Amino acid sequence: MIPAIRVRQVTKSFSGLQALAGIDLEIGQGEFFGLLGPNGAGKTTLISALAGLIRADGGTLEVMGHDVRTDYRNARRKLGVVPQELVFDPFFTVRETLRIQSGYFGIRNNDAWIDEILSNLDLADRADASMRALSGGMKRRVLVAQALVHRPPVIILDEPTAGVDVELRQTLWRFVRRLNEDGHTIVLTTHYLEEAENFCARIAMLKAGRVVALDSTPNLLRRFSAHTVRLRLQGDAALPAGVAGQVERKGSYWSLPLDRYDDLEPILARVRAAGCLIEELEIVKPDLEDVFVKVMNQGGQP
Amino acid sequence: MTGFTTLLYKELLRFWKVGFQTVAAPVLTAMLYLLIFSHVLENRVQVYETVSYTAFLVPGLIMMSMLQNAFANSSSSLIQSKVMGSIVFVLLPPISYTAFFAAYVIAALMRGLAVGLGVLLVTLCFTSLEFVEPLWIMAFAILGGAIMGTLGVLAGLWAEKFDHLAAFQNFLIMPLTFLSGVFYSIHSLPVFWQQVSRYNPIFYLIDGFRHGFFGLSDVSPWQSLAVACSCQIVLSAITLRLLHSGYRLRA
Ligand SMILES: Nc1ncnc2c1ncn2[C@@H]1O[C@H](COP(=O)(O)OP(=O)(O)O)[C@@H](O)[C@H]1O
Ligand SMILES: [Mg+2]
């Protein structure tokens, strides 16, 4: 199957500053993919290159098998982009904005789909409001709606939830999830790592224009951050030596890395064999934030 | 094709929604020029024997208004959407650069024609005009609007902020339009300035346009037509080339 997005050896410099330093990336159809990285990592630059908003210096980019330069018409038809910046055209109402956007993609009489988008984004009652009269959150919704008028199979959302209230976040995720279930490929950038962890099945981490980690979310979590067993012994006793490899002490608590759940039993057995009584025990799950911090600090090999 | 017609429709809607500023205001400005200049100069200046000064002035004013507004339309639309970032809505869809060019130029031409028609209708209340050769009138109105619409696209592409555009307007467009024979025949100028005026393309637009009304002009309308067409071809070629290269739109 043709990948939804294929990026090969893409480079881009802005007056000397290398924003993309040779990106390789393949995202399959139907994936829910996360593109993470600190500010300035090159996420928006990569998205802009895919959308044809900027031209890469080197390498090739394809959307659903269409080269974004030589076959830009088809590439753009297959792609919907929600830009990071909150931009809008102040002259028009919400509905006019969406009709015009449909027209740009060659679609007339798109009202049925426009209404469906509006209702899914809780925008239906603002359809005839002027864009300039909308709050920031509402403008953000319209921006999402604009990216969807042409039913693109591939949808890229560039920090859609930055500075957005909880309600919109929930509305948005519900809708985006549904689109994904209907077969749309979703690519997401966000600084909220728990969002990425919850929704994205696969994640790429960018740093200084390079992919420094690329794997399925569970693999990333496993690879860079194990589960931990946190326990406290009766009488705040010390943990007998040899119970586990790396042990960390925090106050009266002990943290032991746990690579697999199966390892728990031997640990417990050893503790018991040493005559200690466990008073408290919890298994702490790894989270993406740990992974992110580790990957960014070590500079990381993919 | 729908992409092009939608972009054209959007550009037309954009100025039409604020028609008070984009059409009514320039018509009023032209009226003020007409009232003041014709009042002051009516009995002092006679350009052609058979034509009153006021009648002489009207085609010049109409053309000047058309030119300035055609330029203002495409240039301000572009710079505004560039500065506000809403240009992405046009850059993300599969709209070809030729469609992009045509939509902006035609919308600018339409605004020019709307303003020109407005000025014409209002001036008809003050003075009677002849329309000796209407084909020339139409040809120069369309060419003038297209040339300035194209120049507006060029300026809008080049400018990165409103200041740049204001400079373009103040140091190029205004001098060219005022030094083009709107208010006088270039034959009334000293020889040196007559020579200079002949390098001003806008002079030919106004002279040819005026020929359509009175059948009288400083140079042959065919010469003016040749100059205007050459201008449009050169400007279009440059603008299309820049659009094709993504100049200041797709970095
Ligand atoms: N148009 C531009 N001109 C100059 N530098 C830019 C431009 N766009 C991005 N950059 C630079 O490229 C780098 C990557 O930026 P960006 O892709 O926006 O990062 P991210 O979206 O990951 O925060 C940054 O250092 C940024 O300053
Ligand atoms: Mg960004």
Side-chain angles (χ1 to χ4, degrees), chain A residues 6-14 18-23 45-62 67-69, chain B residues 245 250-251:
Chain A
R6 179 184 274 152
V7 173
R8 283 208 205 108
Q9 284 301 307
V10 165
T11 54
K12 176 71 186 179
S13 295
F14 292 107
Q18 188 149 51
L20 299 178
I23 301 269
T45 305
L46 179 61
I47 293 168
S48 301
L50 275 165
L53 294 174
I54 61 166
R55 285 176 182 171
D57 300 334
T60 56
L61 302 109
E62 288 170 18
D67 187 281
V68 302
R69 283 202 71 170
Chain B
S245 75
R250 303 180 195 271

PDB file of all heavy atoms in Angstrom, chain A residues 6-14 18-23 45-62 67-69, chain B residues 245 250-251:
ATOM      1  N   ARG A   6       5.422  10.152   2.609  1.00  0.00           N
ATOM      2  CA  ARG A   6       6.770   9.620   2.464  1.00  0.00           C
ATOM      3  C   ARG A   6       7.723  10.800   2.308  1.00  0.00           C
ATOM      4  O   ARG A   6       7.575  11.617   1.417  1.00  0.00           O
ATOM      5  CB  ARG A   6       6.868   8.700   1.259  1.00  0.00           C
ATOM      6  CG  ARG A   6       8.263   8.133   1.063  1.00  0.00           C
ATOM      7  CD  ARG A   6       8.365   7.315  -0.191  1.00  0.00           C
ATOM      8  NE  ARG A   6       7.962   5.938   0.032  1.00  0.00           N
ATOM      9  CZ  ARG A   6       7.449   5.173  -0.925  1.00  0.00           C
ATOM     10  NH1 ARG A   6       7.244   5.666  -2.128  1.00  0.00           N
ATOM     11  NH2 ARG A   6       7.123   3.923  -0.672  1.00  0.00           N
ATOM     12  N   VAL A   7       8.680  10.855   3.212  1.00  0.00           N
ATOM     13  CA  VAL A   7       9.636  11.959   3.231  1.00  0.00           C
ATOM     14  C   VAL A   7      11.018  11.348   3.136  1.00  0.00           C
ATOM     15  O   VAL A   7      11.354  10.460   3.927  1.00  0.00           O
ATOM     16  CB  VAL A   7       9.494  12.761   4.547  1.00  0.00           C
ATOM     17  CG1 VAL A   7      10.581  13.803   4.656  1.00  0.00           C
ATOM     18  CG2 VAL A   7       8.121  13.410   4.642  1.00  0.00           C
ATOM     19  N   ARG A   8      11.795  11.792   2.143  1.00  0.00           N
ATOM     20  CA  ARG A   8      13.119  11.198   1.964  1.00  0.00           C
ATOM     21  C   ARG A   8      14.183  12.272   1.919  1.00  0.00           C
ATOM     22  O   ARG A   8      14.152  13.134   1.058  1.00  0.00           O
ATOM     23  CB  ARG A   8      13.168  10.416   0.644  1.00  0.00           C
ATOM     24  CG  ARG A   8      12.483   9.082   0.709  1.00  0.00           C
ATOM     25  CD  ARG A   8      13.118   8.130  -0.295  1.00  0.00           C
ATOM     26  NE  ARG A   8      12.147   7.107  -0.651  1.00  0.00           N
ATOM     27  CZ  ARG A   8      11.531   7.044  -1.820  1.00  0.00           C
ATOM     28  NH1 ARG A   8      11.800   7.930  -2.758  1.00  0.00           N
ATOM     29  NH2 ARG A   8      10.666   6.092  -2.051  1.00  0.00           N
ATOM     30  N   GLN A   9      15.093  12.192   2.862  1.00  0.00           N
ATOM     31  CA  GLN A   9      16.306  13.027   2.833  1.00  0.00           C
ATOM     32  C   GLN A   9      15.998  14.518   2.661  1.00  0.00           C
ATOM     33  O   GLN A   9      16.658  15.217   1.897  1.00  0.00           O
ATOM     34  CB  GLN A   9      17.228  12.564   1.685  1.00  0.00           C
ATOM     35  CG  GLN A   9      17.984  11.289   2.000  1.00  0.00           C
ATOM     36  CD  GLN A   9      18.858  11.449   3.227  1.00  0.00           C
ATOM     37  OE1 GLN A   9      19.655  12.375   3.303  1.00  0.00           O
ATOM     38  NE2 GLN A   9      18.667  10.586   4.227  1.00  0.00           N
ATOM     39  N   VAL A  10      14.997  14.973   3.382  1.00  0.00           N
ATOM     40  CA  VAL A  10      14.576  16.356   3.172  1.00  0.00           C
ATOM     41  C   VAL A  10      15.409  17.313   4.014  1.00  0.00           C
ATOM     42  O   VAL A  10      15.595  17.122   5.213  1.00  0.00           O
ATOM     43  CB  VAL A  10      13.073  16.513   3.472  1.00  0.00           C
ATOM     44  CG1 VAL A  10      12.704  17.976   3.607  1.00  0.00           C
ATOM     45  CG2 VAL A  10      12.267  15.879   2.351  1.00  0.00           C
ATOM     46  N   THR A  11      15.934  18.337   3.322  1.00  0.00           N
ATOM     47  CA  THR A  11      16.708  19.375   4.003  1.00  0.00           C
ATOM     48  C   THR A  11      16.091  20.726   3.692  1.00  0.00           C
ATOM     49  O   THR A  11      15.476  20.919   2.650  1.00  0.00           O
ATOM     50  CB  THR A  11      18.162  19.392   3.519  1.00  0.00           C
ATOM     51  OG1 THR A  11      18.157  19.512   2.090  1.00  0.00           O
ATOM     52  CG2 THR A  11      18.899  18.127   3.905  1.00  0.00           C
ATOM     53  N   LYS A  12      16.256  21.640   4.642  1.00  0.00           N
ATOM     54  CA  LYS A  12      15.782  23.004   4.428  1.00  0.00           C
ATOM     55  C   LYS A  12      16.553  23.952   5.339  1.00  0.00           C
ATOM     56  O   LYS A  12      16.688  23.701   6.537  1.00  0.00           O
ATOM     57  CB  LYS A  12      14.287  23.105   4.752  1.00  0.00           C
ATOM     58  CG  LYS A  12      13.710  24.506   4.657  1.00  0.00           C
ATOM     59  CD  LYS A  12      13.620  24.966   3.219  1.00  0.00           C
ATOM     60  CE  LYS A  12      13.188  26.414   3.126  1.00  0.00           C
ATOM     61  NZ  LYS A  12      13.113  26.880   1.725  1.00  0.00           N
ATOM     62  N   SER A  13      17.100  24.999   4.742  1.00  0.00           N
ATOM     63  CA  SER A  13      17.794  26.016   5.538  1.00  0.00           C
ATOM     64  C   SER A  13      17.107  27.355   5.368  1.00  0.00           C
ATOM     65  O   SER A  13      16.590  27.661   4.301  1.00  0.00           O
ATOM     66  CB  SER A  13      19.250  26.152   5.082  1.00  0.00           C
ATOM     67  OG  SER A  13      19.940  24.960   5.344  1.00  0.00           O
ATOM     68  N   PHE A  14      17.106  28.121   6.428  1.00  0.00           N
ATOM     69  CA  PHE A  14      16.640  29.506   6.353  1.00  0.00           C
ATOM     70  C   PHE A  14      17.849  30.403   6.604  1.00  0.00           C
ATOM     71  O   PHE A  14      18.344  30.452   7.719  1.00  0.00           O
ATOM     72  CB  PHE A  14      15.578  29.798   7.411  1.00  0.00           C
ATOM     73  CG  PHE A  14      14.284  29.070   7.189  1.00  0.00           C
ATOM     74  CD1 PHE A  14      13.921  28.006   8.004  1.00  0.00           C
ATOM     75  CD2 PHE A  14      13.423  29.449   6.177  1.00  0.00           C
ATOM     76  CE1 PHE A  14      12.725  27.336   7.805  1.00  0.00           C
ATOM     77  CE2 PHE A  14      12.228  28.779   5.973  1.00  0.00           C
ATOM     78  CZ  PHE A  14      11.877  27.723   6.796  1.00  0.00           C
ATOM     79  N   GLN A  18      19.930  25.702   9.676  1.00  0.00           N
ATOM     80  CA  GLN A  18      19.387  24.461   9.122  1.00  0.00           C
ATOM     81  C   GLN A  18      18.184  24.006   9.938  1.00  0.00           C
ATOM     82  O   GLN A  18      18.303  23.541  11.066  1.00  0.00           O
ATOM     83  CB  GLN A  18      20.449  23.373   9.095  1.00  0.00           C
ATOM     84  CG  GLN A  18      19.950  22.147   8.346  1.00  0.00           C
ATOM     85  CD  GLN A  18      21.043  21.390   7.651  1.00  0.00           C
ATOM     86  OE1 GLN A  18      22.056  21.063   8.248  1.00  0.00           O
ATOM     87  NE2 GLN A  18      20.849  21.085   6.375  1.00  0.00           N
ATOM     88  N   ALA A  19      17.009  24.156   9.346  1.00  0.00           N
ATOM     89  CA  ALA A  19      15.769  23.800  10.044  1.00  0.00           C
ATOM     90  C   ALA A  19      15.458  22.321   9.891  1.00  0.00           C
ATOM     91  O   ALA A  19      14.935  21.695  10.805  1.00  0.00           O
ATOM     92  CB  ALA A  19      14.607  24.639   9.514  1.00  0.00           C
ATOM     93  N   LEU A  20      15.783  21.746   8.723  1.00  0.00           N
ATOM     94  CA  LEU A  20      15.615  20.312   8.506  1.00  0.00           C
ATOM     95  C   LEU A  20      16.944  19.768   7.987  1.00  0.00           C
ATOM     96  O   LEU A  20      17.471  20.254   6.992  1.00  0.00           O
ATOM     97  CB  LEU A  20      14.496  20.030   7.492  1.00  0.00           C
ATOM     98  CG  LEU A  20      13.091  20.520   7.860  1.00  0.00           C
ATOM     99  CD1 LEU A  20      12.107  20.213   6.727  1.00  0.00           C
ATOM    100  CD2 LEU A  20      12.602  19.889   9.161  1.00  0.00           C
ATOM    101  N   ALA A  21      17.459  18.755   8.696  1.00  0.00           N
ATOM    102  CA  ALA A  21      18.802  18.288   8.359  1.00  0.00           C
ATOM    103  C   ALA A  21      18.769  16.856   7.863  1.00  0.00           C
ATOM    104  O   ALA A  21      19.458  15.988   8.395  1.00  0.00           O
ATOM    105  CB  ALA A  21      19.708  18.420   9.587  1.00  0.00           C
ATOM    106  N   GLY A  22      17.932  16.585   6.855  1.00  0.00           N
ATOM    107  CA  GLY A  22      17.877  15.228   6.322  1.00  0.00           C
ATOM    108  C   GLY A  22      16.854  14.388   7.057  1.00  0.00           C
ATOM    109  O   GLY A  22      17.191  13.535   7.873  1.00  0.00           O
ATOM    110  N   ILE A  23      15.585  14.628   6.750  1.00  0.00           N
ATOM    111  CA  ILE A  23      14.501  13.900   7.412  1.00  0.00           C
ATOM    112  C   ILE A  23      14.056  12.733   6.529  1.00  0.00           C
ATOM    113  O   ILE A  23      13.830  12.909   5.339  1.00  0.00           O
ATOM    114  CB  ILE A  23      13.286  14.829   7.646  1.00  0.00           C
ATOM    115  CG1 ILE A  23      13.670  16.031   8.503  1.00  0.00           C
ATOM    116  CG2 ILE A  23      12.108  14.052   8.221  1.00  0.00           C
ATOM    117  CD1 ILE A  23      13.484  15.832   9.966  1.00  0.00           C
ATOM    118  N   THR A  45       8.181  23.387   9.937  1.00  0.00           N
ATOM    119  CA  THR A  45       8.891  23.467   8.659  1.00  0.00           C
ATOM    120  C   THR A  45       8.624  22.225   7.821  1.00  0.00           C
ATOM    121  O   THR A  45       8.359  22.316   6.616  1.00  0.00           O
ATOM    122  CB  THR A  45      10.406  23.635   8.906  1.00  0.00           C
ATOM    123  OG1 THR A  45      10.608  24.764   9.750  1.00  0.00           O
ATOM    124  CG2 THR A  45      11.155  23.841   7.612  1.00  0.00           C
ATOM    125  N   LEU A  46       8.665  21.055   8.474  1.00  0.00           N
ATOM    126  CA  LEU A  46       8.402  19.814   7.753  1.00  0.00           C
ATOM    127  C   LEU A  46       6.971  19.805   7.208  1.00  0.00           C
ATOM    128  O   LEU A  46       6.722  19.442   6.049  1.00  0.00           O
ATOM    129  CB  LEU A  46       8.624  18.617   8.687  1.00  0.00           C
ATOM    130  CG  LEU A  46       8.370  17.239   8.078  1.00  0.00           C
ATOM    131  CD1 LEU A  46       9.307  16.988   6.904  1.00  0.00           C
ATOM    132  CD2 LEU A  46       8.524  16.142   9.118  1.00  0.00           C
ATOM    133  N   ILE A  47       6.021  20.228   8.037  1.00  0.00           N
ATOM    134  CA  ILE A  47       4.618  20.269   7.614  1.00  0.00           C
ATOM    135  C   ILE A  47       4.450  21.241   6.444  1.00  0.00           C
ATOM    136  O   ILE A  47       3.766  20.947   5.459  1.00  0.00           O
ATOM    137  CB  ILE A  47       3.722  20.656   8.802  1.00  0.00           C
ATOM    138  CG1 ILE A  47       3.739  19.528   9.843  1.00  0.00           C
ATOM    139  CG2 ILE A  47       2.304  20.948   8.343  1.00  0.00           C
ATOM    140  CD1 ILE A  47       3.121  19.905  11.171  1.00  0.00           C
ATOM    141  N   SER A  48       5.109  22.403   6.555  1.00  0.00           N
ATOM    142  CA  SER A  48       5.003  23.396   5.481  1.00  0.00           C
ATOM    143  C   SER A  48       5.565  22.851   4.172  1.00  0.00           C
ATOM    144  O   SER A  48       5.032  23.128   3.099  1.00  0.00           O
ATOM    145  CB  SER A  48       5.750  24.669   5.858  1.00  0.00           C
ATOM    146  OG  SER A  48       5.226  25.199   7.055  1.00  0.00           O
ATOM    147  N   ALA A  49       6.633  22.091   4.272  1.00  0.00           N
ATOM    148  CA  ALA A  49       7.221  21.515   3.057  1.00  0.00           C
ATOM    149  C   ALA A  49       6.262  20.498   2.446  1.00  0.00           C
ATOM    150  O   ALA A  49       6.088  20.439   1.228  1.00  0.00           O
ATOM    151  CB  ALA A  49       8.566  20.866   3.377  1.00  0.00           C
ATOM    152  N   LEU A  50       5.601  19.711   3.296  1.00  0.00           N
ATOM    153  CA  LEU A  50       4.632  18.742   2.801  1.00  0.00           C
ATOM    154  C   LEU A  50       3.453  19.438   2.121  1.00  0.00           C
ATOM    155  O   LEU A  50       2.902  18.957   1.136  1.00  0.00           O
ATOM    156  CB  LEU A  50       4.100  17.892   3.955  1.00  0.00           C
ATOM    157  CG  LEU A  50       4.941  16.676   4.335  1.00  0.00           C
ATOM    158  CD1 LEU A  50       4.523  16.147   5.694  1.00  0.00           C
ATOM    159  CD2 LEU A  50       4.795  15.586   3.282  1.00  0.00           C
ATOM    160  N   ALA A  51       3.068  20.584   2.680  1.00  0.00           N
ATOM    161  CA  ALA A  51       1.900  21.300   2.174  1.00  0.00           C
ATOM    162  C   ALA A  51       2.241  22.199   0.994  1.00  0.00           C
ATOM    163  O   ALA A  51       1.359  22.812   0.412  1.00  0.00           O
ATOM    164  CB  ALA A  51       1.286  22.132   3.297  1.00  0.00           C
ATOM    165  N   GLY A  52       3.536  22.297   0.666  1.00  0.00           N
ATOM    166  CA  GLY A  52       3.929  23.172  -0.436  1.00  0.00           C
ATOM    167  C   GLY A  52       3.970  24.636  -0.056  1.00  0.00           C
ATOM    168  O   GLY A  52       4.049  25.494  -0.922  1.00  0.00           O
ATOM    169  N   LEU A  53       3.917  24.930   1.232  1.00  0.00           N
ATOM    170  CA  LEU A  53       3.990  26.330   1.664  1.00  0.00           C
ATOM    171  C   LEU A  53       5.426  26.839   1.607  1.00  0.00           C
ATOM    172  O   LEU A  53       5.668  28.037   1.502  1.00  0.00           O
ATOM    173  CB  LEU A  53       3.457  26.483   3.086  1.00  0.00           C
ATOM    174  CG  LEU A  53       1.965  26.202   3.255  1.00  0.00           C
ATOM    175  CD1 LEU A  53       1.573  26.251   4.724  1.00  0.00           C
ATOM    176  CD2 LEU A  53       1.142  27.192   2.458  1.00  0.00           C
ATOM    177  N   ILE A  54       6.352  25.916   1.733  1.00  0.00           N
ATOM    178  CA  ILE A  54       7.751  26.251   1.511  1.00  0.00           C
ATOM    179  C   ILE A  54       8.343  25.164   0.617  1.00  0.00           C
ATOM    180  O   ILE A  54       7.747  24.093   0.464  1.00  0.00           O
ATOM    181  CB  ILE A  54       8.572  26.324   2.821  1.00  0.00           C
ATOM    182  CG1 ILE A  54       8.554  24.972   3.527  1.00  0.00           C
ATOM    183  CG2 ILE A  54       8.053  27.413   3.741  1.00  0.00           C
ATOM    184  CD1 ILE A  54       9.603  24.877   4.612  1.00  0.00           C
ATOM    185  N   ARG A  55       9.498  25.460   0.044  1.00  0.00           N
ATOM    186  CA  ARG A  55      10.131  24.468  -0.819  1.00  0.00           C
ATOM    187  C   ARG A  55      11.377  23.921  -0.147  1.00  0.00           C
ATOM    188  O   ARG A  55      12.230  24.688   0.277  1.00  0.00           O
ATOM    189  CB  ARG A  55      10.466  25.102  -2.157  1.00  0.00           C
ATOM    190  CG  ARG A  55       9.190  25.272  -2.961  1.00  0.00           C
ATOM    191  CD  ARG A  55       9.394  25.973  -4.253  1.00  0.00           C
ATOM    192  NE  ARG A  55       8.087  26.118  -4.911  1.00  0.00           N
ATOM    193  CZ  ARG A  55       7.881  26.839  -5.989  1.00  0.00           C
ATOM    194  NH1 ARG A  55       8.884  27.477  -6.543  1.00  0.00           N
ATOM    195  NH2 ARG A  55       6.680  26.927  -6.513  1.00  0.00           N
ATOM    196  N   ALA A  56      11.436  22.604  -0.058  1.00  0.00           N
ATOM    197  CA  ALA A  56      12.605  21.976   0.546  1.00  0.00           C
ATOM    198  C   ALA A  56      13.825  22.224  -0.348  1.00  0.00           C
ATOM    199  O   ALA A  56      13.691  22.355  -1.556  1.00  0.00           O
ATOM    200  CB  ALA A  56      12.363  20.484   0.712  1.00  0.00           C
ATOM    201  N   ASP A  57      14.998  22.308   0.288  1.00  0.00           N
ATOM    202  CA  ASP A  57      16.226  22.487  -0.497  1.00  0.00           C
ATOM    203  C   ASP A  57      16.623  21.185  -1.175  1.00  0.00           C
ATOM    204  O   ASP A  57      17.150  21.188  -2.280  1.00  0.00           O
ATOM    205  CB  ASP A  57      17.382  22.942   0.409  1.00  0.00           C
ATOM    206  CG  ASP A  57      17.073  24.256   1.101  1.00  0.00           C
ATOM    207  OD1 ASP A  57      16.267  25.028   0.545  1.00  0.00           O
ATOM    208  OD2 ASP A  57      17.625  24.505   2.184  1.00  0.00           O
ATOM    209  N   GLY A  58      16.382  20.090  -0.475  1.00  0.00           N
ATOM    210  CA  GLY A  58      16.756  18.801  -1.042  1.00  0.00           C
ATOM    211  C   GLY A  58      15.800  17.718  -0.583  1.00  0.00           C
ATOM    212  O   GLY A  58      15.044  17.915   0.362  1.00  0.00           O
ATOM    213  N   GLY A  59      15.835  16.571  -1.258  1.00  0.00           N
ATOM    214  CA  GLY A  59      14.988  15.455  -0.867  1.00  0.00           C
ATOM    215  C   GLY A  59      13.639  15.498  -1.555  1.00  0.00           C
ATOM    216  O   GLY A  59      13.349  16.411  -2.324  1.00  0.00           O
ATOM    217  N   THR A  60      12.823  14.474  -1.268  1.00  0.00           N
ATOM    218  CA  THR A  60      11.498  14.421  -1.890  1.00  0.00           C
ATOM    219  C   THR A  60      10.438  14.222  -0.821  1.00  0.00           C
ATOM    220  O   THR A  60      10.683  13.613   0.222  1.00  0.00           O
ATOM    221  CB  THR A  60      11.384  13.261  -2.895  1.00  0.00           C
ATOM    222  OG1 THR A  60      11.705  12.041  -2.204  1.00  0.00           O
ATOM    223  CG2 THR A  60      12.319  13.443  -4.063  1.00  0.00           C
ATOM    224  N   LEU A  61       9.252  14.754  -1.113  1.00  0.00           N
ATOM    225  CA  LEU A  61       8.112  14.585  -0.206  1.00  0.00           C
ATOM    226  C   LEU A  61       6.916  14.123  -1.033  1.00  0.00           C
ATOM    227  O   LEU A  61       6.660  14.661  -2.114  1.00  0.00           O
ATOM    228  CB  LEU A  61       7.769  15.907   0.476  1.00  0.00           C
ATOM    229  CG  LEU A  61       8.874  16.560   1.293  1.00  0.00           C
ATOM    230  CD1 LEU A  61       9.373  17.810   0.590  1.00  0.00           C
ATOM    231  CD2 LEU A  61       8.369  16.918   2.679  1.00  0.00           C
ATOM    232  N   GLU A  62       6.212  13.115  -0.513  1.00  0.00           N
ATOM    233  CA  GLU A  62       5.031  12.629  -1.222  1.00  0.00           C
ATOM    234  C   GLU A  62       3.860  12.510  -0.266  1.00  0.00           C
ATOM    235  O   GLU A  62       4.033  12.134   0.885  1.00  0.00           O
ATOM    236  CB  GLU A  62       5.298  11.235  -1.816  1.00  0.00           C
ATOM    237  CG  GLU A  62       6.236  11.249  -3.002  1.00  0.00           C
ATOM    238  CD  GLU A  62       6.663   9.840  -3.387  1.00  0.00           C
ATOM    239  OE1 GLU A  62       5.998   8.859  -2.973  1.00  0.00           O
ATOM    240  OE2 GLU A  62       7.681   9.721  -4.094  1.00  0.00           O
ATOM    241  N   ASP A  67       4.052  13.427  -5.549  1.00  0.00           N
ATOM    242  CA  ASP A  67       5.139  14.345  -5.198  1.00  0.00           C
ATOM    243  C   ASP A  67       4.574  15.750  -4.992  1.00  0.00           C
ATOM    244  O   ASP A  67       3.785  16.240  -5.801  1.00  0.00           O
ATOM    245  CB  ASP A  67       6.180  14.359  -6.321  1.00  0.00           C
ATOM    246  CG  ASP A  67       7.412  15.158  -5.924  1.00  0.00           C
ATOM    247  OD1 ASP A  67       7.367  16.402  -5.985  1.00  0.00           O
ATOM    248  OD2 ASP A  67       8.402  14.528  -5.534  1.00  0.00           O
ATOM    249  N   VAL A  68       4.978  16.395  -3.903  1.00  0.00           N
ATOM    250  CA  VAL A  68       4.354  17.683  -3.570  1.00  0.00           C
ATOM    251  C   VAL A  68       4.791  18.806  -4.514  1.00  0.00           C
ATOM    252  O   VAL A  68       4.191  19.882  -4.509  1.00  0.00           O
ATOM    253  CB  VAL A  68       4.627  18.110  -2.108  1.00  0.00           C
ATOM    254  CG1 VAL A  68       4.124  17.050  -1.138  1.00  0.00           C
ATOM    255  CG2 VAL A  68       6.096  18.400  -1.877  1.00  0.00           C
ATOM    256  N   ARG A  69       5.805  18.567  -5.325  1.00  0.00           N
ATOM    257  CA  ARG A  69       6.179  19.605  -6.299  1.00  0.00           C
ATOM    258  C   ARG A  69       5.713  19.252  -7.699  1.00  0.00           C
ATOM    259  O   ARG A  69       5.001  20.013  -8.334  1.00  0.00           O
ATOM    260  CB  ARG A  69       7.701  19.824  -6.300  1.00  0.00           C
ATOM    261  CG  ARG A  69       8.140  20.643  -5.109  1.00  0.00           C
ATOM    262  CD  ARG A  69       9.470  21.311  -5.349  1.00  0.00           C
ATOM    263  NE  ARG A  69       9.381  22.401  -6.319  1.00  0.00           N
ATOM    264  CZ  ARG A  69      10.367  23.245  -6.541  1.00  0.00           C
ATOM    265  NH1 ARG A  69      11.492  23.116  -5.891  1.00  0.00           N
ATOM    266  NH2 ARG A  69      10.233  24.210  -7.421  1.00  0.00           N
TER     267      ARG A  69
ATOM    268  N   SER B 245       8.033  30.937  -9.457  1.00  0.00           N
ATOM    269  CA  SER B 245       9.196  30.602  -8.619  1.00  0.00           C
ATOM    270  C   SER B 245       8.825  30.571  -7.133  1.00  0.00           C
ATOM    271  O   SER B 245       9.615  30.150  -6.302  1.00  0.00           O
ATOM    272  CB  SER B 245      10.300  31.630  -8.833  1.00  0.00           C
ATOM    273  OG  SER B 245       9.961  32.834  -8.156  1.00  0.00           O
ATOM    274  N   ARG B 250       6.072  31.144  -1.351  1.00  0.00           N
ATOM    275  CA  ARG B 250       6.477  29.801  -0.923  1.00  0.00           C
ATOM    276  C   ARG B 250       7.985  29.799  -0.772  1.00  0.00           C
ATOM    277  O   ARG B 250       8.705  29.490  -1.707  1.00  0.00           O
ATOM    278  CB  ARG B 250       6.052  28.764  -1.954  1.00  0.00           C
ATOM    279  CG  ARG B 250       4.549  28.774  -2.230  1.00  0.00           C
ATOM    280  CD  ARG B 250       4.196  27.720  -3.261  1.00  0.00           C
ATOM    281  NE  ARG B 250       2.867  27.928  -3.807  1.00  0.00           N
ATOM    282  CZ  ARG B 250       1.754  27.424  -3.280  1.00  0.00           C
ATOM    283  NH1 ARG B 250       1.816  26.674  -2.209  1.00  0.00           N
ATOM    284  NH2 ARG B 250       0.583  27.656  -3.825  1.00  0.00           N
ATOM    285  N   ALA B 251       8.436  30.188   0.429  1.00  0.00           N
ATOM    286  CA  ALA B 251       9.869  30.451   0.661  1.00  0.00           C
ATOM    287  C   ALA B 251      10.737  29.230   0.394  1.00  0.00           C
ATOM    288  O   ALA B 251      10.380  28.139   0.759  1.00  0.00           O
ATOM    289  CB  ALA B 251      10.083  30.895   2.099  1.00  0.00           C
TER     290      ALA B 251
END
